[in-house]
Amino acid sequence: MQPRYLKQAEAIKLDEELFHYFGVEQLMELAGLSCASAIAEQFPESKNVLVVVGPGNNGGDGLVCARHLKLFGFSPEIFYPKRPAKTLYQNLMKQCELFEIPVLSSFPVVEQLNSQYALMVDALFGFSFKAPVRQEFSEILNTMTQTSTPCCSIDIPSGWDVETGPLDPVTHLKPAMLISLSAPKLCAKFFHGIHYLGGRFIAPTLARKYELNLPNYPLTHNCVRL
Amino acid sequence: MQPRYLKQAEAIKLDEELFHYFGVEQLMELAGLSCASAIAEQFPESKNVLVVVGPGNNGGDGLVCARHLKLFGFSPEIFYPKRPAKTLYQNLMKQCELFEIPVLSSFPVVEQLNSQYALMVDALFGFSFKAPVRQEFSEILNTMTQTSTPCCSIDIPSGWDVETGPLDPVTHLKPAMLISLSAPKLCAKFFHGIHYLGGRFIAPTLARKYELNLPNYPLTHNCVRL
């Protein structure tokens, strides 16, 4: 059974419904944890990880992911250029500081990425992304597309349209791995790398209501390869 | 390397320090998840689980545990006699309702416990417990000590002194399994059953400061057998 791939409006509606029941901190914790688990499972030797953090909840998932990667014995670093003045994100950063996760003040150039990092985590944009990418982020994405360091995208590959996929046929981000959260979004149809599902917190009632056709996760695992 | 067993005052201090950095919802989610994982690992066939929920944060861990057990394919039920009017607990209950977890209106008698449940989860009291047990809970504990259904206690066996262990040499609760959270408390020295550690969220800096000597968790596991 294949899971259903959601349109952007469906993903937003499911998200809104989840927040009738859950706090954002709860779901973000489980989402970020599942990303760290999938990465550790797939790239156990890639200890030097650069987590590229965007301004919204996708970035929050990235911050949680970085913290759990540290607990799993990885050496994550963070680049977080645009930080909204929200308690949620400030607390997540305070936690990263407690875990002594280095924060970069500028984005590495291509050669530095190639030589210093075994993996990049793309936590820039999530399922609510609307084109175009703003200047400051398009420069980062441009560098990310040029490096030989593999990239793992959280929920959607950043810069891709949530439904129609790559916006630029040539220069778009080509992640080696994608971790869809809750359910894949339509753009994942255009992705042909290592595809995981994480964010194991959907009640059976909601899975039925949204016809998600979720796969069976292994007993206690919080992520599953699709 | 054995983990250090904490005095009550140390456990309270560590907890207070954690809440400088984390929201209670975050840590409770990870704690309850690790309990569900340990139970699923140890009792994979014990699908009918009764989660006995106390009025404080230990009860909150139990509610989270019940929800994740449901996701893991178990059939948890809840008994939650005393519910404080706090948003935290109300939300956790709302989530259990969303997951269609039955809530008992009265505590089963011994024969019902024996015949209908493969496992009890004791989420009554945690590391802040001070004797004596109030009447309403001592009746429940009394029933729990008489059943043949095995019991898994979260953080401390309820009714035990956090440091000196069983209060009554004869009638105390004798859980088959104990899941210590963050670090074992002193009373765990008097426990000789299946002992797990869960609550994998302690920063290395805090582990050093409190000299916790935490064991190595398997790569991405959120619990480890001691």
Side-chain angles (χ1 to χ4, degrees):
Chain A
M1 190 167 69
Q2 269 293 311
R4 197 161 71 80
Y5 287 51
L6 302 186
K7 293 180 190 169
Q8 185 168 39
E10 291 175 315
I12 291 170
K13 203 169 155 226
L14 171 59
D15 200 55
E16 284 171 357
E17 181 145 3
L18 282 169
F19 288 131
H20 290 172
Y21 299 96
F22 291 94
V24 61
E25 279 186 334
Q26 271 182 297
L27 297 191
M28 202 169 264
E29 195 63 33
L30 295 174
L33 173 62
S34 69
C35 292
S37 299
I39 289 166
E41 198 170 301
Q42 201 59 41
F43 294 97
E45 303 306 327
S46 301
K47 298 300 184 201
N48 294 327
V49 181
L50 178 61
V51 184
V52 189
V53 179
N57 280 355
N58 198 257
D61 296 336
L63 294 174
V64 174
C65 173
R67 171 160 46 83
H68 286 286
L69 281 175
K70 183 88 179 202
L71 280 170
F72 295 166
F74 287 70
S75 303
E77 298 183 14
I78 285 169
F79 182 64
Y80 191 14
K82 196 170 157 53
R83 309 180 190 183
K86 277 180 73 174
T87 312
L88 172 66
Y89 304 123
Q90 287 166 346
N91 285 345
L92 292 174
M93 270 306 278
K94 215 161 69 175
Q95 293 153 24
C96 285
E97 283 158 28
L98 175 69
F99 277 73
E100 299 173 312
I101 299 174
V103 181
L104 304 189
S105 54
S106 63
F107 199 66
V109 296
V110 173
E111 294 70 27
Q112 285 174 306
L113 280 176
N114 291 347
S115 62
Q116 289 174 24
Y117 299 98
L119 186 71
M120 297 179 297
V121 175
D122 155 31
L124 280 172
F125 307 126
F127 63 82
S128 55
F129 172 75
K130 298 270 188 199
V133 175
R134 276 176 303 186
Q135 172 79 18
E136 60 191 303
F137 292 112
S138 69
E139 284 170 13
I140 294 165
L141 277 172
N142 197 33
T143 306
M144 290 171 76
T145 59
Q146 292 173 54
T147 172
S148 57
T149 302
C151 175
C152 171
S153 289
I154 296 183
D155 211 24
I156 68 159
S158 291
W160 288 29
D161 183 273
V162 177
E163 298 185 357
T164 61
L167 287 170
D168 182 304
V170 180
T171 64
H172 63 275
L173 191 65
K174 297 172 190 73
M177 178 172 175
L178 171 66
I179 305 167
S180 294
L181 294 174
S182 302
K185 318 305 171 284
L186 264 181
C187 65
K189 292 274 182 200
F190 300 89
F191 173 77
H192 304 293
I194 303 160
H195 191 187
Y196 271 78
L197 183 66
R200 186 183 187 182
F201 44 64
I202 302 290
T205 42
L206 293 184
R208 285 193 298 272
K209 179 173 173 184
Y210 288 85
E211 299 173 331
L212 298 181
N213 293 337
L214 293 179
N216 289 322
Y217 286 81
L219 186 57
T220 63
H221 284 221
N222 51 37
C223 60
V224 58
R225 187 160 176 182
L226 295 176
Chain B
M1 190 166 71
Q2 270 292 312
R4 198 162 71 80
Y5 285 53
L6 303 186
K7 293 180 188 168
Q8 185 167 40
E10 292 174 314
I12 290 169
K13 204 170 155 227
L14 171 60
D15 199 55
E16 283 171 358
E17 181 144 4
L18 283 168
F19 288 131
H20 290 171
Y21 298 96
F22 291 94
V24 60
E25 279 185 335
Q26 271 182 296
L27 296 191
M28 202 169 264
E29 195 63 32
L30 295 174
L33 173 62
S34 69
C35 292
S37 299
I39 289 167
E41 199 171 299
Q42 200 60 40
F43 293 98
E45 304 305 326
S46 301
K47 297 302 184 201
N48 293 328
V49 181
L50 178 61
V51 184
V52 189
V53 179
N57 281 355
N58 199 258
D61 296 336
L63 294 173
V64 174
C65 173
R67 170 161 47 82
H68 286 286
L69 281 174
K70 184 87 179 204
L71 280 170
F72 295 166
F74 287 70
S75 303
E77 299 183 15
I78 284 170
F79 182 63
Y80 191 15
K82 195 169 159 52
R83 309 180 191 184
K86 277 180 71 172
T87 312
L88 171 66
Y89 305 123
Q90 286 165 347
N91 285 345
L92 292 173
M93 271 305 279
K94 217 161 67 174
Q95 292 154 24
C96 285
E97 283 159 25
L98 175 69
F99 277 73
E100 298 174 314
I101 298 174
V103 181
L104 304 189
S105 55
S106 62
F107 199 67
V109 296
V110 173
E111 294 69 30
Q112 285 176 307
L113 280 176
N114 291 347
S115 62
Q116 289 173 24
Y117 299 97
L119 185 72
M120 299 180 295
V121 175
D122 155 30
L124 280 172
F125 307 125
F127 64 82
S128 55
F129 171 74
K130 297 270 188 200
V133 175
R134 276 175 305 188
Q135 172 79 19
E136 59 191 307
F137 291 113
S138 69
E139 284 170 12
I140 294 166
L141 278 172
N142 196 32
T143 307
M144 290 170 77
T145 59
Q146 292 173 54
T147 172
S148 57
T149 302
C151 175
C152 171
S153 289
I154 296 183
D155 211 23
I156 68 160
S158 291
W160 289 29
D161 183 272
V162 177
E163 298 186 356
T164 61
L167 287 171
D168 183 305
V170 181
T171 64
H172 63 274
L173 191 64
K174 297 173 191 71
M177 178 172 175
L178 171 65
I179 305 167
S180 294
L181 293 173
S182 301
K185 317 307 171 285
L186 265 181
C187 66
K189 293 274 181 198
F190 301 89
F191 173 77
H192 304 291
I194 304 159
H195 191 188
Y196 271 77
L197 182 67
R200 188 184 186 180
F201 44 64
I202 302 289
T205 41
L206 292 184
R208 285 193 298 271
K209 178 172 173 183
Y210 289 86
E211 299 173 330
L212 298 181
N213 293 338
L214 294 178
N216 290 321
Y217 287 81
L219 187 58
T220 63
H221 284 223
N222 50 37
C223 61
V224 58
R225 186 159 177 183
L226 294 177

